[in-house]
């Protein structure tokens, strides 16, 4: 691992300044949250910052109610605390479920909300510095297309990159239209999800719309009363402590057997947490039946372009959407 | 000739920090390389070899210790970040020579074979029982808005960050259940 300077930020302004400054020899600075992904990537040689700016002592560890009945979640809130929070569990069950579906107890105690959004793909080529990877070394190529891509994207990918975003938590956040609060060298701004993460296009090295020095300070979850009827369902290769093959976050607003409104997002299928807007619009005003759910899922997945070894994800995603929506209809 | 022909990256000199670590109630002043993980500091510099290095990537749980009472992976924790935290390793679980109830239960229930994962299992289990008591949900909690019971499924799910290659899981679950109920 490359030696790095360690700076502990005491306020946002100094954190951003330290990150922008980097090092005299041009090596970049990065923010350190829980470190569960970053420290591992540094050990693997995937990331080699010259300065580590520790932001875990910044006052971003609170969850506050917003005026409209939503939640403002500090970027430094640990995953465990997010999942255990009474309002998260009561108002947004799918959000709490997604967090406890991810990683392990120890990792959730370390990992932060901001870091969870910013974790890197677990594509094996990205993590192996002996292999080409357009995300790690732009222009070096992508061996995944003809190699190991069983766990990679089936929708929205590009010639340059077929990586998936690994976060569980980001999936319900995309469904909820959460807003990412950012402090940067030029001031503060807010970016709604979807829209925070990027499709790979021809610049897969950029996972998000963040610019150098930008610091995620909070994630705001808007009020959504019908999200009390919501669920996160994750399919993985073993029962626990594994990334999603496919996952679904869904919320249903039902009236007299009809879908008045709904929110659906998919994980494990794209470079971003995939908001299923086509399925949502197909379902609004339709009967809450298995046939309607299957039709809506099929419309969403009509645009998929799977590779030979991950084509199974398309019917899997369709079935998981249908089953999750049916579970929500049957829920008390 | 030094360094010539070496195709690896050329690194600058290590950067160190002087910190005060609180481990098992003892204050330990120490100079650490900023790259050093808590696991390496404990084992290589503080002679606390209870926490084990298994995968060194956060996947096996053999390195589990408590930081401010919470279970974490010491292999993914940079030592320089925990200078004013309370660190508890497996060596700190026993009080005045008496085994912690979780340690006693592991002995009674034969919850290990080779023992390599055991320090991590113990630290993890001690903190996990407290997480359940605090009402934290898990992925197998049927109603995420309510409390969870410490049944076998809950224990297995909540301990999934600790691998045991001898496969002592059945007895580990029994030991934890005995302490938690």
């Amino acid at each position: 691992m490359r030696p790095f300077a360690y700076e502990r930020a005491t306020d946002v302004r100094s954190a951003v300044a330290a990150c922008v400054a980097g090092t005299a020899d041009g090596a970049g600075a990065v923010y350190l949250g829980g470190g569960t992904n970053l420290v591992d990537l540094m050990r693997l040689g995937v990331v080699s910052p010259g300065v580590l700016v520790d932001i875990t002592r910044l006052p971003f560890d609170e969850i506050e109610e917003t005026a409209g009945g939503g939640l403002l979640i500090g970027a430094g809130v640990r995953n465990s605390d997010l999942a255990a929070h009474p309002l998260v569990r009561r108002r947004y069950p799918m959000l709490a479920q997604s967090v406890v579906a991810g990683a392990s107890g120890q990792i959730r105690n370390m990992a932060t909300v901001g870091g969870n959004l910013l974790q890197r793909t677990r594509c094996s080529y990205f993590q192996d510095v002996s292999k080409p990877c357009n995300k790690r070394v732009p222009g070096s190529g992508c061996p995944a297309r003809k190699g190991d891509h069983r766990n990679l994207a089936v929708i929205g990918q590009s010639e340059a990159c077929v990586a998936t975003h690994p976060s569980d938590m980001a999936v319900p956040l995309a469904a909820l239209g959460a807003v990412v609060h950012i402090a940067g060298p030029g001031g503060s701004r807010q970016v709604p999800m979807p829209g925070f993460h990027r499709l790979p296009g021809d610049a897969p090295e950029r996972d998000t719309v963040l610019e150098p020095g930008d610091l995620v300070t909070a994630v705001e979850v808007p009020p959504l009363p019908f999200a009390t009827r919501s669920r996160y369902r994750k399919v993985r290769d073993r029962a626990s402590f594994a990334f999603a093959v496919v996952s679904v976050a869904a919320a249903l607003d039902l009236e007299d057997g009809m879908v008045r409104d709904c929110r659906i997002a998919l994980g494990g299928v794209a470079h971003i947490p995939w908001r299923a807007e086509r399925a949502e619009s197909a379902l609004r005003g339709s009967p809450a039946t298995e046939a309607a759910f299957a039709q809506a899922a099929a419309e969403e997945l009509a645009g998929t372009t799977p590779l030979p070894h991950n084509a199974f994800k398309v019917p899997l995603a369709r079935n998981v959407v249908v089953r999750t929506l049916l579970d929500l209809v049957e829920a008390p | 000739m030094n360094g010539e022909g070496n195709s690896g990256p050329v690194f600058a000199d290590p950067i160190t920090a002087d910190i005060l670590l609180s481990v098992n109630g003892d204050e330990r002043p120490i100079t650490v390389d900023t790259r050093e993980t808590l696991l390496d500091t404990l084992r290589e510099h503080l002679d606390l070899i209870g926490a084990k290095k298994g995968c060194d990537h956060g996947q096996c749980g053999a390195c589990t210790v408590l930081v401010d009472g919470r279970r974490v992976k010491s292999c993914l924790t940079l030592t320089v970040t925990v200078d004013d935290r309370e660190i508890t390793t497996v060596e700190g679980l026993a009080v005045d020579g008496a085994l912690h109830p979780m340690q006693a239960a592991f002995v009674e229930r034969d919850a290990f074979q080779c023992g390599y994962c055991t320090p991590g299992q113990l630290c993890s289990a001690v903190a996990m029982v407290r997480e359940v008591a605090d009402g934290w949900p898990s992925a197998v909690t049927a109603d995420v808005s309510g409390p969870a019971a410490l049944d076998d499924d809950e224990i297995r799910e909540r301990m999934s960050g600790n691998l045991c290659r001898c496969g002592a899981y059945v007895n580990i679950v029994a030991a934890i259940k005995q302490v938690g109920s």
Side-chain angles (χ1 to χ4, degrees):
Chain A
M1 199 188 293
R2 181 193 200 281
F4 56 82
Y6 171 80
E7 296 189 26
R8 184 173 294 172
T10 51
D11 60 81
V12 172
R13 185 187 298 258
S14 65
V16 171
C19 195
V20 170
T23 60
D25 65 1
V30 297
Y31 297 116
L32 173 70
T36 56
N37 190 200
L38 178 60
V39 171
D40 194 35
L41 290 175
M42 288 166 67
R43 184 177 287 133
L44 292 168
V46 174
V47 183
S48 300
V51 182
L52 219 51
V53 181
D54 184 349
I55 52 169
T56 57
R57 310 301 173 98
L58 296 180
F60 296 155
D61 55 354
E62 298 287 329
I63 298 176
E64 303 163 30
E65 265 193 282
T66 59
L71 295 177
L72 185 66
I73 302 164
V77 169
R78 306 289 169 167
N79 284 190
S80 298
D81 293 312
L82 177 65
H85 195 279
L87 290 179
V88 174
R89 294 159 74 178
R90 201 176 323 134
R91 291 184 187 169
Y92 310 101
M94 63 179 170
L95 180 55
Q97 288 165 351
S98 73
V99 174
V100 293
S104 67
Q106 293 97 315
I107 302 249
R108 292 192 295 271
N109 280 341
M110 304 170 73
T112 63
V113 166
N116 191 321
L117 286 180
L118 296 177
Q119 60 181 309
R120 311 301 307 271
T121 185
R122 283 353 188 253
C123 173
S124 55
Y125 302 103
F126 174 73
Q127 297 191 99
D128 182 350
V129 294
S130 74
K131 301 287 193 301
C133 168
N134 288 323
K135 186 181 279 299
R136 182 166 32 77
V137 182
S140 61
C142 173
R145 286 195 152 268
K146 291 185 175 170
D148 176 14
H149 55 246
R150 177 181 175 272
N151 287 328
L152 302 182
V154 294
I155 190 163
Q157 71 270 39
S158 69
E159 279 299 313
C161 182
V162 293
T164 42
H165 195 270
S167 171
D168 291 295
M169 182 196 75
V171 181
L173 287 181
L176 290 162
V179 178
V180 183
H181 291 225
I182 300 161
S188 301
R189 67 186 199 281
Q190 301 181 358
V191 177
M193 293 175 69
F196 176 75
H197 295 94
R198 291 179 71 260
L199 287 174
D202 55 8
E205 68 277 14
R206 295 190 59 203
D207 290 353
T208 69
V209 298
L210 291 181
E211 299 289 341
D214 276 349
L215 173 64
V216 175
T217 58
V219 175
E220 184 175 350
V221 183
L224 189 74
F226 73 81
T228 52
R229 187 183 288 271
S230 69
R231 176 167 291 205
Y232 184 73
R233 192 184 197 106
K234 176 176 180 177
V235 178
R236 41 187 164 176
D237 286 332
R238 55 178 187 237
S240 185
F241 202 9
F243 290 95
V245 175
V246 165
S247 70
V248 174
L252 263 190
D253 185 12
L254 297 170
E255 188 178 42
D256 301 331
M258 305 289 283
V259 177
R260 187 159 53 188
D261 201 356
C262 63
R263 297 290 180 90
I264 305 169
L266 297 167
V269 296
H271 197 257
I272 58 175
W274 187 267
R275 177 78 175 266
E277 284 168 350
R278 285 187 199 181
E280 289 178 10
S281 34
L283 277 181
R284 285 193 191 98
S286 85
T289 60
E290 182 167 354
F293 296 156
Q295 176 61 28
E299 285 185 33
E300 185 64 47
L301 297 165
T304 51
T305 49
L307 296 163
H309 302 300
N310 67 9
F312 73 98
K313 284 192 177 188
V314 179
L316 180 60
R318 182 191 62 224
N319 293 345
V320 177
V321 168
V322 172
R323 188 64 247 172
T324 306
L325 292 171
L326 284 172
D327 285 349
L328 287 172
V329 171
E330 291 156 13
Chain B
M1 301 294 267
N2 281 347
E4 284 180 27
N6 182 351
S7 60
V10 179
F11 287 149
D13 291 336
I15 297 172
T16 59
D18 297 321
I19 62 171
L20 194 62
L21 269 191
S22 174
V23 185
N24 300 330
D26 292 335
E27 302 259 290
R28 312 278 290 260
I30 185 171
T31 300
V32 294
D33 188 314
T34 56
R35 296 170 292 181
E36 204 169 306
T37 62
L38 180 56
L39 176 61
D40 285 336
T41 303
L42 292 170
R43 294 184 55 84
E44 306 299 332
H45 299 299
L46 299 181
D47 252 358
L48 292 166
I49 57 170
K52 297 291 188 285
K53 184 175 286 192
C55 69
D56 214 18
H57 287 286
Q59 295 170 6
C60 76
C63 69
T64 302
V65 300
L66 310 183
V67 173
D68 289 345
R70 291 191 170 193
R71 52 181 174 155
V72 302
K73 311 259 180 175
S74 63
C75 76
L76 292 179
T77 302
L78 295 172
T79 308
V80 70
T81 66
V82 290
D83 62 337
D84 52 357
R85 309 294 200 204
E86 288 290 331
I87 296 153
T88 307
T89 69
V90 71
E91 290 93 339
L93 291 183
V95 178
D96 297 332
L99 291 182
H100 185 284
M102 192 65 77
Q103 293 173 308
F106 267 58
V107 172
E108 188 183 329
R109 295 286 183 157
D110 200 15
F112 49 88
Q113 220 177 99
C114 83
Y116 195 81
C117 73
T118 310
Q121 299 278 2
L122 287 166
C123 287
S124 191
V126 166
M128 183 276 277
V129 168
R130 201 155 44 219
E131 291 169 5
V132 175
D134 287 344
W136 292 13
S138 87
V140 298
T141 308
D143 177 3
V144 79
S145 68
L150 197 68
D151 59 25
D152 289 4
D153 282 349
E154 285 280 359
I155 293 171
R156 279 193 281 262
E157 162 59 26
R158 290 168 189 267
M159 292 297 290
S160 70
N162 290 85
L163 304 184
C164 170
R165 297 295 74 165
C166 299
Y169 295 116
V170 173
N171 293 354
I172 291 172
V173 170
I176 296 172
K177 200 170 174 183
Q178 175 176 316
V179 174
S181 52

